């Protein structure tokens, strides 16, 4: 059914089908190869192909044994490109309780164990051993968010830039399309924007340079690490950022400023590449959960200006929004309808935050001077253009297509960024029975640390949701997401959350225990116990027992949890009586 030559080659046989004796770039990925613009390895491969380069992908190579997967395509003419895949490999492997996960959504049949821990480092070390003279370029979320000193939750220590342990020649941070083409054109150069590298000579010839305190200093002092993070995050939120340099050992990590925000035309051009919107035929009829989830979804923009403390989106994709054109979105939907499994339903017309499409500063010259981590917190920026008309126009346009039965918004929405017109359209026409939103907590002191709107705003939206459903004769549910053990959250805060959930008759089945992921504000607070912006102490539930206790408050309605709570309270009262 599927033409092998329509995909990027993954084997020697597929190279021969194309008549290739060698390739320019070989890309190693921790994910299965799904030829779809939602998966980074496919995007990078297609972008290089469009630029005229011969590219092959080795998905989920076997890093054990004789490493034959690393040698089966030979030596590339230009460089190896390495990514852990769409997730940090440690987040992919382990729960917040550091228990090994039993599945992997980016692997055929959800099979676990198909990539190593610290995937990028492992792949690079093998390639350096086999081909010491071939350059390696690393990218993707794992490399991007580990580009400077970062806290690694799973080893409970500060790790240096991933460049140190991987021995890679160049690191691409962010989405990577512009960088990878320039690297292919120029080779491993140290002046390419939005890249990072190691050098023994400190950078001095650039006008705007911020030098962080050394990795070794950060290891010795949590205050130093907090101070470093504040500088890193501040620069990452600027349109015109400085070069960042950090000493590590006898070397320096240098992080070049990013490219200008991608234009609509540039983003459209990526989505116009010849993606097959399907896993590689090698997987035959195997089920890949991540693909099943996004198969009939459309991402309409890139970036997020929410700036949530625990989120990596703005740090990786950028704070500024780049939106696709209407024509680009409609062209993708037209391709999706031709897939054999098409039933007429779009699972998601969305993005990182679905209702930020088309939004930007009214006066971009003000944005160029701004270093706010969030355009929504603590209040919505007065310079933000909150025009929902372009988004509503696309919703209406899509719904008039003859082959569309229903289009849903499955991505998260910001209920603090919404007017009545948009809210009514969303609730009455684009909810599949359950609308998922993320208040994250009920305590305003915790929400302030999270950079999330107040609980009062959530309650207003809840009332609006119920009112619109009643008026439209609909029976739909509002499903809130919450986080336990976030920095700043005490047991008293969790008791308040449980009380509010009881009042609203919420019985959450699945909730999230805070997982510290590299290079976020929340993770920095988790490790240091310090708010980097105030340098004041922050309460942190760090131990396994503390985290379990906070998480248990979500399940107040389960008999076993009630018994456990009663037992804990009885034990506590006995201890108190004994000690007094």
């Amino acid at each position: 059914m599927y033409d092998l030559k329509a995909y990027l080659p993954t084997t020697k046989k597929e190279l021969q089908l194309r008549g290739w004796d060698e390739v320019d770039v070989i890309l190693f990925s921790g994910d299965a190869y799904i030829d779809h613009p939602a998966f980074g390895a496919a995007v990078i491969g297609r972008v290089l192909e469009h630029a005229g380069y011969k590219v092959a992908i080795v998905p989920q190579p076997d890093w054990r044994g004789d490493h034959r997967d690393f040698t089966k395509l030979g030596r590339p003419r230009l460089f190896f490109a390495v990514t852990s895949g769409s997730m940090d490999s440690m987040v992919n492997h382990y729960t917040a309780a550091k228990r090994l996960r039993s599945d992997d959504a980016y692997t055929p049949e959800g099979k676990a164990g198909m990539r190593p821990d610290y995937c990028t480092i492992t792949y690079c070390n093998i390639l350096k051993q086999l081909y010491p003279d071939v350059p390696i370029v690393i990218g993707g979320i794992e490399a991007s968010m580990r580009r400077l000193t970062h806290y690694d939750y799973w080893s409970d220590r500060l790790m240096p830039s991933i460049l140190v342990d991987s021995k890679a020649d160049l690191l691409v941070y962010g989405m990577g399309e512009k960088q990878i083409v320039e690297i292919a054109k120029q080779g491993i150069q140290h002046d390419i924007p939005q890249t990072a590298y190691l050098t023994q000579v400190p950078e001095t010839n650039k006008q705007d340079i911020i030098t962080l305190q050394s990795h070794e200093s950060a290891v010795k002092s949590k205050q130093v690490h907090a101070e470093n993070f504040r500088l890193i995050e501040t620069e990452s939120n600027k349109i015109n950022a400085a070069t960042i340099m950090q000493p590590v050992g006898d070397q320096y990590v240098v992080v070049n400023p990013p490219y200008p925000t991608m234009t609509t035309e540039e983003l459209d051009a990526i989505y116009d590449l010849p993606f097959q919107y399907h896993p590689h035929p090698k997987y035959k009829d195997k089920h890949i959960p991540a693909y099943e989830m996004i198969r009939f979804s459309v991402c309409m923009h890139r970036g997020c200006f929410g700036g949530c403390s625990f989120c990596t989106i703005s740090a990786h994709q950028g704070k500024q929004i780049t939106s696709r054109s209407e024509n680009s979105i409609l062209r993708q939907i037209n391709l999706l309808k031709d897939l054999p499994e098409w039933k007429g339903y779009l699972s998601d017309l969305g993005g990182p935050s679905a209702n930020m499409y088309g939004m930007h500063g009214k006066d971009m010259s003000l944005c160029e001077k701004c270093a706010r981590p969030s355009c929504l917190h603590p209040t919505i920026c007065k310079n933000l253009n909150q025009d929902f008309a372009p988004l509503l126009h696309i919703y209406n346009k899509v719904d008039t297509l003859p082959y569309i039965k229903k289009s849903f918004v499955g991505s998260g929405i910001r209920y603090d960024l919404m007017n009545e017109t948009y809210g009514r359209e969303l609730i009455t026409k684009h909810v599949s029975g359950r609308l998922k939103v993320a208040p994250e907590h009920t305590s305003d002191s915790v929400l302030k640390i999270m950079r999330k709107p107040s609980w009062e705003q959530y309650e207003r939206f809840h009332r609006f949701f119920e009112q619109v459903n009643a008026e439209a004769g609909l029976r739909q549910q509002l499903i809130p997401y919450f986080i336990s053990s976030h920095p700043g959250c005490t047991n008293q805060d969790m008791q308040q959350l449980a009380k509010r959930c009881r009042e609203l008759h919420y019985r959450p089945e699945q909730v999230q225990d805070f997982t510290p992921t590299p290079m976020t504000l929340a993770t920095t607070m988790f490790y240091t116990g310090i708010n980097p912006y105030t340098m004041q102490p922050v309460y942190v539930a760090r131990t396994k027992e503390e985290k379990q206790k906070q998480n248990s408050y979500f399940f107040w309605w389960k008999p076993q949890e009630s018994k456990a709570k009663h037992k804990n309270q009885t034990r506590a009262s006995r201890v108190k009586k004994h000690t007094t």
Side-chain angles (χ1 to χ4, degrees), residues 43-239:
V43 172
I44 294 300
R46 290 297 188 185
V47 166
L48 282 168
E49 177 189 55
H50 181 71
Y53 297 96
K54 296 177 180 177
V55 188
I57 292 182
V58 181
Q60 300 188 314
D62 184 357
W63 72 97
R64 308 175 184 92
D66 59 8
H67 300 155
R68 67 180 66 184
D69 282 349
F70 291 87
T71 59
K72 66 181 182 180
L73 298 183
R75 177 190 302 263
R77 186 177 67 86
L78 297 176
F79 57 84
F80 290 114
V82 172
T83 176
S84 69
S86 299
M87 294 178 67
D88 184 285
S89 57
M90 302 305 287
V91 179
N92 178 280
H93 281 176
Y94 298 95
T95 68
K98 299 186 181 181
R99 290 194 292 266
L100 195 63
R101 297 186 191 275
S102 58
D103 58 1
D104 181 344
Y106 296 88
T107 300
E109 303 302 340
K111 184 180 179 181
M114 294 300 289
R115 79 187 85 208
D117 286 358
Y118 305 106
C119 182
T120 303
I121 292 172
T122 302
Y123 288 176
C124 288
N125 288 172
I126 292 169
L127 289 169
K128 279 295 183 186
Q129 179 185 352
L130 296 170
Y131 303 98
D133 57 332
V134 178
I136 298 177
V137 178
I138 57 176
I141 192 74
E142 183 166 276
S144 184
M145 301 305 291
R146 294 174 180 261
R147 59 187 181 267
L148 291 158
T149 295
H150 57 280
Y151 173 65
D152 181 73
Y153 173 62
W154 300 273
S155 61
D156 192 24
R157 66 187 177 98
L158 283 190
M159 294 180 70
S161 166
I162 195 171
L163 284 162
V164 174
D165 292 325
S166 69
K167 302 177 180 63
D169 298 274
L170 201 62
L171 180 154
V172 167
Y173 69 93
M175 301 302 277
E177 296 96 344
K178 290 185 177 181
Q179 302 97 299
I180 203 70
V181 172
E182 283 305 308
I183 297 166
K185 288 179 181 176
Q186 299 183 35
I188 306 297
Q189 300 295 324
H190 289 171
D191 59 352
I192 297 173
Q194 215 161 328
T195 61
Y197 57 91
L198 276 175
T199 179
Q200 291 189 319
V201 181
E203 187 65 68
T204 57
N205 62 353
K206 294 182 179 177
Q207 189 173 8
D208 197 3
I209 300 175
I210 290 176
T211 301
L212 304 177
Q213 298 179 74
S214 71
H215 169 71
E216 291 75 17
S217 297
V219 170
K220 291 178 182 177
S221 168
K222 291 183 176 181
Q223 181 170 328
V224 166
H225 182 58
E227 291 170 349
N228 276 351
F229 177 82
R230 184 176 69 248
L231 292 170
I232 294 167
E233 188 182 48
T234 299
E235 288 307 307
S236 73
N237 286 308
K238 290 181 179 178
I239 290 178

Side-chain angles (χ1 to χ4, degrees), residues 346 349 395 398-399 404-409 429-431:
L346 277 178
L349 269 175
Y395 287 173
V398 169
D399 286 347
I404 294 289
K405 294 179 182 177
K406 192 84 172 177
S407 64
F408 300 110
V409 175
K429 296 182 181 179
H430 302 285
V431 175

Side-chain angles (χ1 to χ4, degrees), residues 68 136 172 260 336 374 387 428 430 455 502:
R68 67 180 66 184
I136 298 177
V172 167
L336 295 180
S374 171
D387 183 7
T428 58
H430 302 285
W455 177 250
R502 283 196 297 270

Side-chain angles (χ1 to χ4, degrees), residues 233-254:
E233 188 182 48
T234 299
E235 288 307 307
S236 73
N237 286 308
K238 290 181 179 178
I239 290 178
N240 300 309
T243 297
I244 294 177
M245 184 168 65
Q246 183 182 31
V248 51
D250 60 354
Q251 300 182 91
Y252 299 85
V253 180
V254 180

Side-chain angles (χ1 to χ4, degrees), residues 10 44 250 274 277 291 294 338 368 466 480 487:
T10 65
I44 294 300
D250 60 354
Y277 291 92
Y291 168 68
I294 59 87
D338 293 330
E368 290 175 1
E466 295 293 334

